[in-house]
Amino acid sequence: AQSVTQPDIHITVSEGASLELRCNYSYGATPYLFWYVQSPGQGLQLLLKYFSGDTLVQGIKGFEAEFKRSQSSFNLRKPSVHWSDAAEYFCAVGAMIKAAGNKLTFGGGTRVLVKP
Amino acid sequence: EAGVAQSPRYKIIEKRQSVAFWCNPISGHATLYWYQQILGQGPKLLIQFQNNGVVDDSQLPKDRFSAERLKGVDSTLKIQPAKLEDSAVYLCASSFSTGHSYEQYFGPGTRLTVT
């Protein structure tokens, strides 16, 4: 069974500073990896996804993530944080089930606070 | 393009009562998911439909939870009777199909409080 660990529950960063959120996964086959963002009272929005190919993935809102198979990691980064990036971020791994399903397993999330 | 719609947005009930949540997916999306998100945790898949058939309900507590998608469009998730530990946000998501390349689009969720 697949699992996802996000070691940091909370991160506080100053506006304009860089941000890195950690994600470690456990999955027996080639992983399909995702990062979602959830603003208060909102549903989840997909930031980026990795299926195969280039291990550095670009997403929306200036985010990028790097897949490192040797470390079982898929860390999310942003060079310069904006106040609007304050939200909760979830890493997820996808697995095909019964050759007809796309089951996502989410990590526990990292809440990002942005200081002015 | 309209997003995934859910109602109600908030619901407060007493334990042992019943409650139902409604979801309308994005038009044309064949796959529909219900997730439970307990405060401080990531979403957990409860049930997945492909059109009106169930693909995966392995984590659905079937003694109290039920879900249906009769015409392959709207879906209803029911809890009867509710327990205190059912307090959570219930998220509905939909995708065009079941492959990995098909993004899951999430609704705003229904926040359930059981007292």
Side-chain angles (χ1 to χ4, degrees):
Chain A
Q2 64 268 28
S3 66
V4 178
T5 301
Q6 294 181 246
D8 304 305
I9 298 175
H10 295 101
I11 286 182
T12 300
V13 61
S14 297
E15 191 168 16
S18 63
L19 174 69
E20 181 168 12
L21 304 182
R22 295 184 291 166
C23 172
N24 294 100
Y25 67 90
S26 173
Y27 186 56
T30 301
Y32 300 86
L33 298 162
F34 306 80
W35 274 100
Y36 283 84
V37 60
Q38 186 176 35
S39 298
Q42 303 296 314
L44 281 75
Q45 181 184 21
L46 181 67
L47 286 175
L48 47 79
K49 57 190 177 186
Y50 171 79
F51 292 155
S52 63
D54 193 345
T55 56
L56 186 62
V57 180
Q58 300 298 320
I60 62 171
K61 303 185 180 186
F63 285 93
E64 66 179 24
E66 186 172 13
F67 170 60
K68 292 185 177 180
R69 184 185 298 274
S70 61
Q71 299 177 18
S72 298
S73 68
F74 189 56
N75 295 348
L76 182 72
R77 298 193 293 254
K78 185 169 185 177
S80 178
V81 168
H82 187 261
W83 64 267
S84 60
D85 293 323
E88 188 143 24
Y89 293 79
F90 293 94
C91 181
V93 62
M96 290 297 291
I97 53 170
K98 300 179 182 178
N102 179 7
K103 178 176 180 176
L104 290 182
T105 299
F106 286 85
T110 298
R111 182 169 296 279
V112 173
L113 303 175
V114 180
K115 293 190 301 183
Chain B
E1 175 183 84
V4 176
Q6 292 187 246
S7 68
R9 292 294 309 277
Y10 305 91
K11 189 74 176 179
I12 301 173
I13 62 172
E14 295 181 353
K15 60 183 179 183
R16 292 187 288 273
Q17 286 187 323
S18 63
V19 65
F21 312 128
W22 173 83
C23 173
N24 181 233
I26 292 173
S27 178
H29 280 194
T31 310
L32 185 146
Y33 312 79
W34 282 103
Y35 290 86
Q36 179 192 58
Q37 185 177 18
I38 294 172
L39 185 65
Q41 299 180 17
K44 181 185 79 171
L45 180 68
L46 291 176
I47 188 168
Q48 177 182 345
F49 292 94
Q50 175 72 5
N51 295 310
N52 60 352
V54 176
V55 174
D56 181 13
D57 63 357
S58 58
Q59 298 192 89
L60 186 73
K62 298 181 186 63
D63 58 332
R64 298 184 301 106
F65 286 64
S66 65
E68 59 184 12
R69 193 183 184 200
L70 293 176
K71 297 183 179 179
V73 181
D74 293 7
S75 177
T76 302
L77 177 69
K78 297 180 182 178
I79 308 175
Q80 182 178 10
K83 293 185 175 182
L84 295 177
E85 58 261 36
D86 298 331
S87 294
V89 175
Y90 291 85
L91 296 166
C92 179
S94 70
S95 65
F96 180 74
S97 186
T98 58
H100 287 286
S101 61
Y102 295 113
E103 177 181 347
Q104 293 187 27
Y105 293 84
F106 285 79
T110 296
R111 181 177 297 276
L112 173 67
T113 302
V114 182
T115 63

